[in-house]
């Protein structure tokens, strides 16, 4: 049987300048603390300064206690996604880039309540942040549905 093409084995680029790499276990950027709302710390001052970017990774601006507190109803629980945490947020329009326990990324806006999963996987958190800031196209994401709100479904 022929070997896989190198591009398939190493990952491929979708014309975005970011290449997906074969990496089955992406470590979380900072550990999840049981019972405490946390975020994915990019450890980059660029995302902490409103002067350098419209997007922020500052935990004080990520609404951790409102949307991501594991002790309260939260966005991850509503969709059945473990450890859904914010990576970056655009404060004016409240667009979020989120990451789950498996290293998958999502976009979400509390104003319309729609959650999209980013198709490209795996990605490093900083690469996903760059893609989010540049804007995902319809072909890059797929809408997630919250079946908990549909009566008679389980």
């Amino acid at each position: 049987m022929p070997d896989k093409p190198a591009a398939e084995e190493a990952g491929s680029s979708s014309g975005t300048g970011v290449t997906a790499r074969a990496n089955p276990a992406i470590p979380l950027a900072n550990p999840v603390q049981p019972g405490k709302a946390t975020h994915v710390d990019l450890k980059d001052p660029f995302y902490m300064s409103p002067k350098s970017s419209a997007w922020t990774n500052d935990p004080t601006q990520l609404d951790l206690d409102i949307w991501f507190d594991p002790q309260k109803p939260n966005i991850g629980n509503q969709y059945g996604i473990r450890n859904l945490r914010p990576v970056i947020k655009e404060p004016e329009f409240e667009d979020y880039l989120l990451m789950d326990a498996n290293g998958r990324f999502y976009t979400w806006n509390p104003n319309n309540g729609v959650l999209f999963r980013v198709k490209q996987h795996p990605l490093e958190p900083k690469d996903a942040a760059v893609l989010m800031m540049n804007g995902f196209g319809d072909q890059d994401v797929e809408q997630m549905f919250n079946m908990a709100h549909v009566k008679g479904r389980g």
Side-chain angles (χ1 to χ4, degrees), residues 56-76:
T56 184
N57 181 246
D58 182 346
T60 65
Q61 296 183 31
L62 295 175
D63 303 318
L64 295 174
D65 292 335
I66 297 171
W67 304 115
F68 306 100
D69 187 336
Q71 302 302 314
K72 300 177 187 174
N74 62 60
I75 187 67

Side-chain angles (χ1 to χ4, degrees), residues 78-92:
Q78 289 180 2
Y79 285 88
I81 301 170
R82 276 187 333 107
N83 298 329
L84 195 59
R85 303 181 299 155
V87 179
I88 57 174
K89 174 187 173 187
E90 194 287 319
E92 184 178 350

Side-chain angles (χ1 to χ4, degrees), residues 94-128:
E94 298 201 358
D95 290 318
Y96 286 85
L97 174 67
L98 309 173
M99 186 173 104
D100 71 13
N102 297 317
R104 298 274 338 210
F105 292 92
Y106 303 81
T107 68
W108 178 66
N109 185 301
N111 296 317
N112 63 22
V114 179
L115 181 74
F116 292 94
R117 182 171 54 195
V118 177
K119 291 179 182 177
Q120 189 173 342
H121 180 72
L123 284 171
E124 294 295 325
K126 284 187 182 179
D127 291 339

Side-chain angles (χ1 to χ4, degrees), residues 29-63:
N30 58 320
V32 174
Q33 298 177 12
K36 184 174 185 215
T38 60
H39 74 298
V40 178
D41 188 356
L42 295 179
K43 299 182 182 357
D44 188 333
F46 174 80
Y47 297 103
M48 295 294 285
S49 169
K51 292 180 181 176
S52 61
S53 174
W55 295 83
T56 184
N57 181 246
D58 182 346
T60 65
Q61 296 183 31
L62 295 175
D63 303 318

